[in-house]
Every structure is written in C-alpha cells, then in structure tokens.
Amino acid sequence: MLTRNCLSLLLWVLFDGGLLTPLQPQPQQTLATEPRENVIHLPGQRSHLQRVKRGWVWNQFFVLEEYMGSEPQYVGKLHSDLDKGEGTVKYTLSGDGAGTVFTIDETTGDIHAIRSLDREEKPFYTLRAQAVDIETRKPLEPESEFIIKVQDINDNEPKFLDGPYIASVPEMSPVGAYVLQVKATDADDPTYGNSARVVYSILQGQPYFSIDPKTGVIRTALPNMDREVKEQYQVLIQAKDMGGQLGGLAGTTVVNITLTDVNDNPPRFPKSIFHLKVPESSPIGSAIGRIRAVDPDFGQNAEIEYNIVPGDGGNFFDIVTDEDTQEGVIKLKKPLDFETKKAYTFKVEASNLHLDHRFHSAGPFKDTATVKISVLDVDEPPVFSKPLYTMEVYEDTPVGTIIGAVTAQDLDVGSSAVRYFIDWKSDGDSYFTIDGTEGTIATNELLDRESTAQYNFSIIASKVSNPLLTSRVNILINVLDVNEFPPEISVPYETAVCENAKPGQIIQTVSAADRDLSPAGQQFSFKLSPEAAIKPNFTVRDFRNNTAGIETRRNGYSRRQQELYFLPVVIEDSSYPVQSSTNTMTIRVCRCDADGTILTCNVEAIFLPVGLSTGALIAILLCIVILLAIVVLYVALRRQKKKDTLMTSKEDIRDNVIHYDDEGGGEEDTQAFDIGALRNPKVIDDNNIRRDIKPDSLCLPRQRPPVEDNTDIRDFINQRLQENDLDPTAPPYDSLATYAYEGNGSVADSLSSIESLTTEADQDYNYLTDWGPRFKVLADMFGEEESYNPDKVT
C-alpha cells in the first residue's frame, strides 16, 4: 500500500509540473525533458526561420484500476504556454470515455476519473485535447491525442480453465514417470510486476506424486506403485501468483490419477484338485463342468488360456475358455460308457495370453491343477449294431419274403430284452413288416421298381423293462430291377432323306430308352427286321454304343415315285431275359440343295416348276386368291343389282314388305300396290306371265277358258282374315299376313294326284312335250321312266 501511495505522489508531481511525454512524436509535439523548436510562418511578413518555444506540453497518463476513494481520482493536468492564467483559455476533452469516465476542468485543465476502472475489461483509453480562445472559440493549439493507461493491480487469482483433470499412469512405473501437465491462467498484466507470475505446488497427493513449480508437470514420486493395492489417487494442485510470495492470490484444481494395469501377476488355481461327475449318457460336445484360475490383473492382462496336459483320459475331453468369466469349460469329446470305464484323471494348465517381458524374471505365468471325473451309470436305450441298414430286393419278390434283419442290444449291467417295430409315421410302413422279437424284415406288398425304386423308413427298438427308452435306426431298401420292358427308340421317330442322297449316307442317328434301367446300365443292339432286310432301301448300322445310324442303300430317291418310306428297326437289350421291340421309323423324301440342306418336303412342291422359289409360289397363290375374291364380289354385286331392279318394278304384282317407321293408320296407309288386282280374276288371267322374265313363245294346246266368276281367291282371303281375327295371340298392331296362294290359269292345271281318276300305270305323259321349254325336263323324266318300265312287255 505504501508503494502504491508513493507511485501516485510521483505521478502527481510529474503531471503538476507539466512534464508530459507524447505517445507518438509529431511535428508540433515535444518532450518536456527535451524541448523542440518548430518553424512557423507569421501572416503578413516574409517567411523566415524563427525559433519558438513549444506551446503544447502533455504526457502519457496513468490511472490505477479498482480505485475505491470517495473523491474522483486525479489523473493529470493539461497546460498550454499561451495560458497566462487570465482565464482566456478553455480546455476541451474528447475520445474514449470523455464525459463518462474522464472529465476535465475547462479552466485549469485538470483531468479526473469519475468511476472505478478495470484493466482486464479495458487496458487503456485514447483521448484528444484542445485549447481554444474562450471568447473567439478559435483553437489556440492544434488538437493533440494522448493515452490514459489503466495501471494493473493484483486483483485476479490464477485459474485452471481445463480442470478438474483426469490422468493415468501404468502401475509399477519408475520414479519421475510423466503423468500430466496442468496450466493456470492469471488475468493480471504479465508485463507489470509479479501479478501474473504463477508458481505450482501440491497440497494433497504426497508422497506419490510431485509437480514442477514452473511448468506444472506432474510426475510419479514413488517406485512400484501397485494397482492391485491402490488404483485411484486424487491430487490437489495449487497455483499462486506474485511468484508464490506472501500476499499473492491462489487457485486450486483436482487431478484424478488412475493406475493402469500391467500383466505383473500370473494366474493361480485356488485348489490343486477339482472333482467332477458326469452321466454316461451325456452327448458329445456338452459342457460337463467348469474350473477357474484367479488372476488379479485386469482386462486383457487377466485373459487365461486353458489346456489339457496329455495323459490318462485327456483325449476324451476338451477345455475352452469362457470369455466373459475366464473360466475353463470342460466339454465331452467322445462318448462315455460306465460299463467300460468309470473314472478319468487328467491335468489342466492355465496361462496368460498377453505376457509382459519386464516381469519374466518373476517366474512362469502359468499354473496347473488336477481334474478327476467320475462317470455315473445311466439306464440307456438299446443300441443298434449299425448306424444305417441297407437292403436289396427284386421287384417281383413274393409277399412275405424276408429280405433282412436288424439287431439292437441293451448294454446296461442288467440287460433287458428288446422289441422292434416300424415307425408308422413313415411312408414305407405298408410295404414291409418286421418281426417284433427277431427283427427280421419281410415284404408286405408286391413291389414295382418303376413306381418306387427306393424305400427309406425307420425302425424303433425299445427295452422290455423300460419301454420309454427307445432308439431309432434308418432302413434303406433298394428295389432291384427285373427286365420286363423292351427298349424303344428315343425321339425322333421321323426323319428325312434328300432326293440326291448317295448310298452309304447316315441320315439319322437314333438311340434307345428302357423303362427298366437307364441306358448307362444297359447295352442295346439295333438291326433291321427280317422282312425289311430282303430288299431294303435303307439299313441300320449299329455303332455299339447304344446308338445306331439310318444308312441309305440307293443312289437317289424320287418324291414322284414314293414320298414316304417306313423302316422297321428291331432293338434288343442285354438284360435277362432279353427283351426286344420293333419300332417303325418314317422317312420322308425331301428336296435339298447341293450341300444337303433340306429345302422343302411338301407333296405339292413336286408338281411346281423347279425354278420357282417358295416366296414366288406364295405370291402366285395370293394373286389367285385375290382374283377369285374379285370375281365372287362382282357376281354378288350383279345379282344384288338385278334383284333390286325386279323388286322396285311398278308392274310387279307380288306381295311387298312395307316398313313403317310409325304406328301407322291401318289399311289406309297401304299404297304399295293395287290390291284390287287380287279381287279380279280377269287380271290374274291377263298377267299370268312373269314380268321379270322375257316371255317365250309357248305352244299351249290345253289352255282352259277363263272363269268369269271365280270366288276361290275371295274365299281364301276371307278364311285367312277370319283366322287372324279370332287368333288370341295375334299382335294388336299392324302386321303383314302372307297368303301363299298359287293362283290359277296354269296350262298344266293341277299336278296333284289327289283328284286323279286314273292310276299311275294308265297315265300318259306325252302331252308334257307340248307345254314348251319350261316343262322339257319334266317331260324327259316321265318319258324316260316309261321307257324303262320293267313290267311292260315289248
């Protein structure tokens, strides 16, 4: 405090005396201790150099931070040589903090700080000062810039910004092993005094660790620190400013240090002998017991590998390590049998997987223990003599024939009788039976290899003393083939031969198939049938490899003479008894090119010109079809046109079909033709010739006279009208009734024999020749019939 007061007094003396030092040298600024002369030009006079005295004297100011006084803190004084103390000069202040942090007395130039300052918040302030005439407000001096620096005091303690710390170091490390470096930060000014000079020390953690006072590096202080004894350490570190002197501020942090594990401990079995018991029925691969060696290390340093030391009984068992518990799991490698061996003894060795060479001198990192296993007797099911039984039987074997037997035994001390039966869940249970006592298997149905070539089912054996104890075995029965089917030609059954074929050419290769066995198990022979071998056009060449070739025997074949040839081929197999069959192949004669490529085999192609291709023939056929279609269409149009002309003739007296688009008005709307012609018999006689045919001159020798009062048409029409009027199903709307009446006036009268008074034998048909050309065919028919009458004697 005394040092601070002395410094303040010295600054006051300097400022009060006007000894101010500029921040940056300027042409118009001089140091108080070394006045400088400036060259100025007086207005109205010739310029000449004149040595003048510096008019503005100032210096760099300092102000203490954290000032706690009741009065404003005095900073310094501004003074101009032009100020004679008469009150004609006014001082002004501008810049950082002017008016808010710093004030100036306009008359005296005294500067005060009106509030407490913090160097860590703002270390300096830049301000500008001006001296003006109080009356004219004109500057007496150029504006100058100066700095007020906040002088630091030790008001901030060191802080560990990264704390608390976590560190680790391997156990058993030597003295001085590096652990961690800590760092404290002091916000005070490091360039002024010792306020920011930090010194480190350990408050808690001796004698295990030490720290460098200047760098903050933490190191081990004791040798061979053991993790298994103590693993966690908490160290308290202090950082003190002012170089650690009395009165300095201090900060602390905590460093948590963990000793990491190294493999410095071997595994040890807690006891030397382990006793285990296992039933003889335990399956192979099952775990029968666990042993454990203890290793105080941690992680991979505590990983243990177990091995069985070769010796008595060790080959029946295996041992693996449980990765979670680091136990040795003993597993069964071979089946056990109480009746054969009741106990096993072997040794197990436990060793570390990851060794540290620094500790090899401590001894071997392994341990050995003895394991004794006692086998327990268990009531077991019967045991079959084989794991699988394979049998064979011919497909024509009679029902009830024994084809084999199975055998199972009870190997327990008190053996029991065994019973056999077929597993009824299988598919082959109905084809075979088994003797429950002897275990013999016999056929129960006739077998067919072509239907089922193999049977697979299971047989179960159980103990009489304990039927729940059963064992199962698979039975595989192969059905042997009996040669009962003849071989046949495989496809194709049809082939082709070129017209220009030469003798000795192979036109087709054929093979055979046999439903008894595959061709790989058979040997087939091929030959011509005896009737085809007399004068053959083709022959069969046997290649002796279950195939044969169809060979030509002629020089050229003609489709005009014979298009198809039928070749009977005889095929025999090699089984006993020998089976054979005759297969007929169809050989078609085809036209080929010079290279033997088939062009066509159609029969129609025989009669076509040789020079025409298939495309040209198709084009010709299409043209013919199109011409025929045009002719048919033309004839149909001509007939339709002629029919329309006849139907639209106004002189046609035949019935017309009238189409009404509305309900109509009855007979009043019928204007198609004059119905009065039907009522006048004379009109019928006058118009008995069809108007749509050109009349020919007819010779009618028997023309009947016209009937003046013929009422048959009227009666006919009245009858039809009455029938339609009385018909309850007749529609209640306009309809067309067709009256199919032939009319009269025919020169032939009625040709019906109903009203004939003469018999057919007495009838004379010579008059038909007199009726004209329309009855010529009828006259020829009856005249011919009369001439060939067998009853007439000439």
Side-chain angles (χ1 to χ4, degrees):
M1 191 68 182
L2 180 61
T3 303
R4 183 181 302 178
N5 293 335
C6 293
L7 181 62
S8 301
L9 180 61
L10 177 61
L11 290 175
W12 179 83
V13 171
L14 291 175
F15 284 117
D16 190 59
L19 300 178
L20 302 179
T21 303
L23 177 64
Q24 294 180 354
Q26 297 182 2
Q28 298 178 357
Q29 295 176 346
T30 60
L31 294 175
T33 60
E34 187 180 347
R36 297 180 58 185
E37 295 181 351
N38 295 335
V39 178
I40 60 173
H41 299 276
L42 299 177
Q45 298 179 1
R46 186 169 58 181
S47 299
H48 63 275
L49 294 176
Q50 181 180 1
R51 182 180 180 88
V52 297
K53 189 176 182 180
R54 173 71 174 131
W56 183 267
V57 180
W58 63 279
N59 203 344
Q60 179 173 276
F61 300 125
F62 294 89
V63 60
L64 292 177
E65 68 169 336
E66 304 294 343
Y67 176 73
M68 303 300 294
S70 59
E71 297 294 333
Q73 184 180 359
Y74 178 77
V75 177
K77 183 180 182 65
L78 297 180
H79 181 71
S80 175
D81 292 342
L82 299 179
D83 186 5
K84 303 303 181 178
E86 299 174 355
T88 60
V89 179
K90 178 182 178 181
Y91 298 95
T92 62
L93 190 66
S94 62
D96 291 344
T100 57
V101 179
F102 303 99
T103 60
I104 187 171
D105 190 316
E106 296 180 352
T107 303
T108 62
D110 293 334
I111 302 174
H112 291 81
I114 60 177
R115 67 180 181 85
S116 178
L117 302 179
D118 187 1
R119 190 201 68 85
E120 287 72 35
E121 180 180 349
K122 190 174 179 64
F124 62 90
Y125 295 84
T126 303
L127 295 99
R128 293 181 299 278
Q130 183 92 53
V132 300
D133 188 274
I134 195 170
E135 294 180 358
T136 62
R137 301 294 181 181
K138 292 182 178 181
L140 299 177
E141 299 281 353
E143 186 181 54
S144 296
E145 187 177 84
F146 64 96
I147 293 176
I148 299 178
K149 297 185 66 176
V150 181
Q151 188 172 2
D152 181 55
I153 64 173
N154 190 18
D155 60 341
N156 293 281
E157 72 277 3
K159 294 182 180 180
F160 292 92
L161 301 180
D162 297 330
Y165 296 88
I166 297 176
S168 63
V169 63
E171 64 173 335
M172 311 301 291
S173 295
V175 175
Y178 176 85
V179 179
L180 180 68
Q181 183 178 13
V182 297
K183 184 175 180 59
T185 302
D186 196 321
D188 292 327
D189 189 359
T191 63
Y192 180 78
N194 294 328
S195 298
R197 183 186 173 190
V198 179
V199 175
Y200 301 95
S201 61
I202 293 181
L203 300 182
Q204 176 184 330
Q206 296 94 348
Y208 305 104
F209 301 95
S210 64
I211 189 169
D212 189 292
K214 295 181 179 181
T215 62
V217 175
I218 302 174
R219 301 180 182 274
T220 58
L222 285 180
N224 300 328
M225 287 189 292
D226 193 355
R227 184 197 69 85
E228 287 74 32
V229 177
K230 186 177 181 180
E231 183 178 6
Q232 298 288 339
Y233 295 87
Q234 190 175 71
V235 180
L236 183 62
I237 304 296
Q238 175 184 268
K240 190 175 183 181
D241 59 10
M242 299 299 293
Q245 297 177 5
L246 184 64
L249 302 178
T252 59
T253 187
V254 174
V255 180
N256 294 310
I257 301 176
T258 303
L259 294 183
T260 58
D261 184 65
V262 296
N263 191 10
D264 58 339
N265 295 284
R268 291 289 183 264
F269 283 106
K271 54 184 178 180
S272 59
I273 299 177
F274 292 87
H275 293 275
L276 299 177
K277 296 181 180 180
V278 54
E280 63 173 338
S281 60
S282 298
I284 296 177
S286 61
I288 62 175
R290 290 173 176 257
I291 62 175
R292 182 178 181 181
V294 179
D295 191 333
D297 291 327
F298 177 76
Q300 69 175 9
N301 297 320
E303 293 181 1
I304 302 174
E305 181 182 18
Y306 297 90
N307 293 288
I308 295 178
V309 178
D312 182 27
N315 55 349
F316 275 79
F317 305 94
D318 194 7
I319 188 169
V320 295
T321 303
D322 189 331
E323 296 181 357
D324 296 330
T325 63
Q326 293 299 313
E327 292 179 319
V329 182
I330 300 176
K331 293 186 176 183
L332 186 62
K333 190 166 64 174
K334 294 182 180 180
L336 302 177
D337 186 10
F338 176 80
E339 288 73 23
T340 303
K341 192 171 184 179
K342 298 178 176 58
Y344 297 88
T345 301
F346 53 91
K347 291 184 178 181
V348 175
E349 182 182 80
S351 59
N352 281 137
L353 287 176
H354 307 280
L355 300 178
D356 195 332
H357 64 278
R358 295 178 299 173
F359 306 102
H360 286 174
S361 59
F365 280 72
K366 61 177 62 176
D367 195 13
T368 305
T370 302
V371 178
K372 291 185 177 181
I373 297 178
S374 300
V375 181
L376 303 178
D377 186 25
V378 176
D379 194 5
E380 298 175 301
V383 178
F384 282 96
S385 59
K386 296 180 180 180
L388 174 67
Y389 288 87
T390 302
M391 304 176 185
E392 295 179 346
V393 57
Y394 283 97
E395 60 180 334
D396 60 350
T397 300
V399 176
T401 302
I402 297 176
I403 61 176
V406 296
T407 304
Q409 295 180 351
D410 182 14
L411 301 180
D412 290 332
V413 177
S415 60
S416 171
V418 179
R419 294 293 180 264
Y420 307 94
F421 58 91
I422 295 178
D423 185 5
W424 298 108
K425 297 179 181 179
S426 61
D427 297 334
D429 51 12
S430 61
Y431 291 91
F432 304 94
T433 59
I434 187 170
D435 187 286
T437 304
E438 302 295 333
T440 57
I441 301 174
T443 58
N444 194 35
E445 295 183 10
L446 286 176
L447 305 178
D448 183 12
R449 193 203 67 84
E450 286 69 35
S451 176
T452 304
Q454 190 179 75
Y455 294 90
N456 190 353
F457 56 92
S458 299
I459 290 180
I460 299 176
S462 64
K463 297 172 63 172
V464 175
S465 60
N466 189 356
L468 297 179
L469 293 177
T470 61
S471 58
R472 185 187 304 268
V473 70
N474 287 334
I475 307 297
L476 187 64
I477 298 179
N478 296 316
V479 181
L480 303 179
D481 182 58
V482 174
N483 194 22
E484 53 185 341
F485 294 101
E488 298 176 351
I489 285 183
S490 303
V491 292
Y493 278 91
E494 183 174 342
T495 186
V497 63
C498 295
E499 288 183 313
N500 55 358
K502 303 298 181 181
Q505 290 185 355
I506 302 299
I507 61 173
Q508 180 67 49
T509 300
V510 296
S511 59
D514 195 335
R515 287 186 292 169
D516 290 320
L517 288 176
S518 62
Q522 287 273 18
Q523 183 65 38
F524 302 112
S525 61
F526 302 83
K527 63 181 179 180
L528 280 180
S529 63
E531 62 273 11
I534 299 175
K535 189 179 180 181
N537 294 302
F538 302 90
T539 186
V540 177
R541 182 189 298 179
D542 194 348
F543 295 144
R544 304 298 181 183
N545 60 353
N546 289 347
T547 61
I550 307 301
E551 182 180 357
T552 59
R553 297 293 299 274
R554 289 176 50 183
N555 187 8
Y557 297 85
S558 176
R559 288 184 293 168
R560 296 179 182 272
Q561 296 178 0
Q562 186 173 348
E563 181 192 6
L564 299 176
Y565 290 88
F566 300 98
L567 184 66
V569 180
V570 178
I571 306 176
E572 293 182 352
D573 58 19
S574 58
S575 301
Y576 181 82
V578 176
Q579 298 286 347
S580 65
S581 65
T582 301
N583 302 263
T584 302
M585 291 193 62
T586 302
I587 304 176
R588 185 181 299 274
V589 182
C590 299
R591 185 168 64 88
C592 307
D593 58 10
D595 297 332
T597 304
I598 297 176
L599 299 178
T600 179
C601 294
N602 297 330
V603 182
E604 294 81 359
I606 302 175
F607 305 100
L608 294 177
V610 178
L612 294 179
S613 62
T614 304
L617 296 177
I618 294 175
I620 293 173
L621 292 177
L622 288 177
C623 292
I624 294 174
V625 172
I626 293 173
L627 290 175
L628 290 176
I630 293 173
V631 172
V632 172
L633 181 62
Y634 176 76
V635 173
L637 292 176
R638 288 291 303 272
R639 288 184 178 179
Q640 182 67 26
K641 185 175 180 181
K642 185 175 181 180
K643 182 177 179 181
D644 294 341
T645 304
L646 294 176
M647 294 300 294
T648 56
S649 176
K650 294 183 179 181
E651 298 178 357
D652 194 354
I653 61 174
R654 292 176 297 171
D655 294 345
N656 291 341
V657 178
I658 306 302
H659 176 70
Y660 298 98
D661 289 334
D662 54 7
E663 296 183 357
E667 294 181 357
E668 295 178 0
D669 290 343
T670 306
Q671 302 295 335
F673 59 88
D674 187 6
I675 199 171
L678 296 177
R679 300 172 181 170
N680 189 356
K682 294 180 179 181
V683 177
I684 301 175
D685 294 335
D686 295 339
N687 300 285
N688 55 2
I689 300 176
R690 292 181 60 184
R691 297 180 183 272
D692 58 345
I693 302 175
K694 185 177 180 180
D696 296 332
S697 57
L698 300 178
C699 181
L700 304 175
R702 297 188 180 184
Q703 186 175 5
R704 295 180 59 184
V707 181
E708 295 294 332
D709 190 11
N710 193 348
T711 60
D712 56 349
I713 294 177
R714 182 174 63 253
D715 295 341
F716 179 76
I717 292 176
N718 292 334
Q719 180 181 357
R720 292 290 185 269
L721 289 174
Q722 186 176 6
E723 290 176 357
N724 282 275
D725 291 340
L726 298 178
D727 187 4
T729 62
Y733 46 79
D734 293 344
S735 61
L736 174 66
T738 301
Y739 305 97
Y741 180 73
E742 297 180 0
N744 65 358
S746 175
V747 295
D749 293 335
S750 177
L751 299 179
S752 176
S753 60
I754 298 177
E755 298 177 356
S756 301
L757 299 177
T758 61
T759 63
E760 185 177 356
D762 299 334
Q763 183 68 36
D764 184 10
Y765 299 102
N766 294 328
Y767 63 89
L768 294 175
T769 59
D770 301 332
W771 288 359
R774 290 186 295 175
F775 297 95
K776 182 177 180 305
V777 177
L778 189 61
D780 293 340
M781 291 174 58
F782 282 92
E784 183 180 357
E785 183 177 325
E786 181 180 3
S787 63
Y788 287 94
N789 190 353
D791 298 334
K792 186 175 181 180
V793 180
T794 57

